[in-house]
């Protein structure tokens, strides 16, 4: 035979719990629930059901109620949106991995939000970071065309040498030559903000405008449309209705020599670099004698040779050129840039974070206001994080925010300092 008072009490507890979840007056419903759980009644005149219950039942009921509420929150609140994914050609892309277009064909990069990049032949880039709202892309060299999908929360940025391009949704072409240190940005649709040396904090570029920055010449241009290429020289006026007199004797020999002089010469490695043909430039440099070039090249040429070697997939040759710049031209601006590039190679290609940090700090010591100072300090944060030095990473994050509050590493630096 069932214990009827106990069953009635269970039914009343269940009703009280339902009231707790459904009632607008949560405080009142909670009091009624606890009164019943403690042996009382929520209805006037109702008899006490059984002996008084121990007082520990009320805290237990609160714990159960908290669990129910937590479960409801998990069901009702939407999950955070996933980070963007992307494909490089037909392969799945990886954040942090280098993306290199071949010497003959462009390479497509497609993101899950509809954003697309097209790297011209020979261009090199990498996706540094990606979240639900966008990505940060580093263009190391060459040219890319970007079509960025616009949403209310879009947040895209492109690091190009010492420059940062902030984008919401737009279409543009972006190119960077490490050898000549020249930036070109052609904006087709939308607007962007560019920050970096010469252009200042956040220079706006609108649709139809083109920005040129010439770091070595310390100047920039912002124009409507693109500059027209120089017209080819007009052909010399030559009568074609009369045959030229036949060459004889000495005049014939002179004509042969002149023709030989007019024969096209083989382009030098410098000529090939000017056309961003790095693979061919490396072949030409090897044919000329790479070690000999390193031994006699100027400081600027050593940095260019290092770029040629890096873009050709020969890091040992690049390191030799950069090390020569450090030893032969110690104290110069080129030597400081060599330290930065040695740090970048150690970080990106060797994953040697302690070595990379050392070189980035050398650059910051020698060129605290240099064109690569912002990226060097941001890389110091990444190095220390990768080595597990959380306290030192936060110290670098504080320095970064003090100097570059709107820089490309600023959001990450703030995230590091939030837990303090």
């Amino acid at each position: 035979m069932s214990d009827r008072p106990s069953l009635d009490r269970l039914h009343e507890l269940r009703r009280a719990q339902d009231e707790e979840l459904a009632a607008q007056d949560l405080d009142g419903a909670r009091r009624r629930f606890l009164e019943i759980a403690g042996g009382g009644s929520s209805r006037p005149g109702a008899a006490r059901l059984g002996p008084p219950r121990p007082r520990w039942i009320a805290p237990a009921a609160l714990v159960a109620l908290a669990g129910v509420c937590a479960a409801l929150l998990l069901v009702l609140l939407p999950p955070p949106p996933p980070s963007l994914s992307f494909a490089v050609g037909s392969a799945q892309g990886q954040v942090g991995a280098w993306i290199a277009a071949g010497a003959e064909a462009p390479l497509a990069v497609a993101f899950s939000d509809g954003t697309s990049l097209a790297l011209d032949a020979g261009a090199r880039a990498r996706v540094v970071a990606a979240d639900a709202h966008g990505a940060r892309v580093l263009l190391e060299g060459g040219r890319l065309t970007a079509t960025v999908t616009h949403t209310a929360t879009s947040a895209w940025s492109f690091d190009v040498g010492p420059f940062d391009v902030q984008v919401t949704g737009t279409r543009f072409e972006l190119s960077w030559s490490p050898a000549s240190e020249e930036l070109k940005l052609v904006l087709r649709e939308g607007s962007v903000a560019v920050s970096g040396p010469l252009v200042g904090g956040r220079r706006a570029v609108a649709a139809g405008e083109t920005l040129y920055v010439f770091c070595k010449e310390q100047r920039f241009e912002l124009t409507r449309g693109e500059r027209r290429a120089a017209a080819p020289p007009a052909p010399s006026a030559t009568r074609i209705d009369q045959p030229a007199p036949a060459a004889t004797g000495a005049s014939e020999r002179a004509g042969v020599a002149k023709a030989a002089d007019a024969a096209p010469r083989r382009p030098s490695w410098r000529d090939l670099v000017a056309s961003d043909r790095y693979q061919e430039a490396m072949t030409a440099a090897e044919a000329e004698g790479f070690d000999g070039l390193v031994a006699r090249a100027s400081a600027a040429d050593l940095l260019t040779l290092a770029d040629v070697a890096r873009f050709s997939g020969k890091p040992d040759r690049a390191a030799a050129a950069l090390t020569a710049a450090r030893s032969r031209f110690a104290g110069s601006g080129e030597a400081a840039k060599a330290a930065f590039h040695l740090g970048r190679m150690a970080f990106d290609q060797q994953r040697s974070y302690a070595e990379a940090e050392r070189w980035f700090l050398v650059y910051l010591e020698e060129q605290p206001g240099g064109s690569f100072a912002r990226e060097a300090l941001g890389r110091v944060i990444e190095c220390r994080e990768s080595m597990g030095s959380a306290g030192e990473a936060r110290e670098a994050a504080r320095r970064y925010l003090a100097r570059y509050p709107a820089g490309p590493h600023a959001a990450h630096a703030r995230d590091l300092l939030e837990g303090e």
Side-chain angles (χ1 to χ4, degrees), residues 220-396:
F220 73 93
E221 299 176 11
L222 184 60
T223 65
R224 293 294 301 178
E226 297 184 66
R227 292 186 303 178
R228 293 184 180 275
S236 59
T238 303
R239 291 179 60 92
I240 60 174
D241 56 342
Q242 295 180 359
T248 58
S251 60
E252 182 178 6
R253 291 192 296 272
V256 172
K258 186 175 182 180
D261 291 340
R265 66 178 180 86
R266 185 185 300 274
S268 70
W269 68 270
R270 292 184 184 85
D271 297 330
L272 295 165
V273 167
S275 302
D276 292 333
R277 295 155 64 185
Y278 291 101
Q279 291 282 357
E280 296 173 63
M282 188 65 203
T283 301
E286 292 284 16
E288 191 173 338
F290 191 89
D291 293 332
L293 284 174
V294 167
R296 63 178 182 272
S298 67
D301 278 353
L302 284 171
L303 295 184
T304 303
L305 281 169
D307 286 336
V308 168
R310 284 191 305 123
F311 298 159
S312 302
K314 297 188 176 181
D316 292 343
R317 289 298 210 189
L322 294 172
T323 302
R326 294 288 303 165
S327 61
R328 291 180 52 209
F329 301 97
S332 67
E334 287 80 5
K337 289 180 181 179
F340 173 82
H341 292 307
L342 284 166
R344 189 160 62 177
M345 288 176 58
F347 187 101
D348 295 331
Q349 298 173 14
Q350 303 164 16
R351 299 293 189 266
S352 178
Y353 301 115
E355 181 76 358
E357 180 198 25
R358 181 175 74 84
W359 283 120
F360 289 137
L361 290 175
V362 166
Y363 175 82
L364 289 169
E365 181 180 354
E366 295 181 0
Q367 294 277 298
S371 57
F372 295 112
R374 185 183 66 181
E375 186 177 351
L377 187 51
R379 291 292 191 103
V380 168
I381 299 173
E382 295 183 37
C383 289
R384 292 176 176 178
E385 273 193 292
S386 300
M387 293 187 293
S389 304
E392 293 183 359
R394 287 194 292 271
E395 182 272 333

Side-chain angles (χ1 to χ4, degrees), residues 69-271:
C69 292
L72 285 173
L73 286 175
L74 289 175
V75 171
L76 296 176
L77 290 179
S83 295
L84 297 181
S85 59
F86 62 97
V88 180
S90 59
Q92 182 66 33
Q94 298 294 327
V95 171
W98 281 107
I99 303 169
E104 301 298 332
L107 181 62
V109 182
F111 288 82
S112 54
D113 70 339
T115 294
S116 63
L117 309 178
L119 276 66
D120 280 12
R124 284 173 56 87
R126 69 181 173 116
V127 179
V128 178
D131 59 22
H133 308 296
R136 183 160 65 92
V137 179
L138 170 66
L139 175 62
E140 183 174 84
R143 178 178 177 271
L144 65 78
T145 300
T147 303
V148 177
T149 299
H150 176 68
T151 68
T153 58
S154 293
W156 285 80
S157 65
F158 291 76
D159 294 346
V160 193
F163 300 94
D164 174 43
V165 181
Q166 294 288 331
V167 180
T168 50
T170 188
R171 185 167 62 89
F172 60 90
E173 287 112 44
L174 184 62
S175 61
W176 168 250
S177 172
S180 59
E181 297 186 26
E182 294 181 6
L183 169 79
K184 180 182 178 182
L185 169 65
V186 183
L187 198 63
R188 303 297 183 186
E189 297 175 3
S191 62
V192 301
V194 182
S195 58
L198 302 176
V199 299
R202 290 179 66 84
R203 181 169 295 275
V205 182
E209 294 182 332
T210 300
L211 174 68
Y212 302 87
V213 185
F214 307 94
C215 295
K216 291 183 177 180
E217 300 174 21
Q218 291 292 294
R219 66 183 180 89
F220 73 93
E221 299 176 11
L222 184 60
T223 65
R224 293 294 301 178
E226 297 184 66
R227 292 186 303 178
R228 293 184 180 275
S236 59
T238 303
R239 291 179 60 92
I240 60 174
D241 56 342
Q242 295 180 359
T248 58
S251 60
E252 182 178 6
R253 291 192 296 272
V256 172
K258 186 175 182 180
D261 291 340
R265 66 178 180 86
R266 185 185 300 274
S268 70
W269 68 270
R270 292 184 184 85
D271 297 330

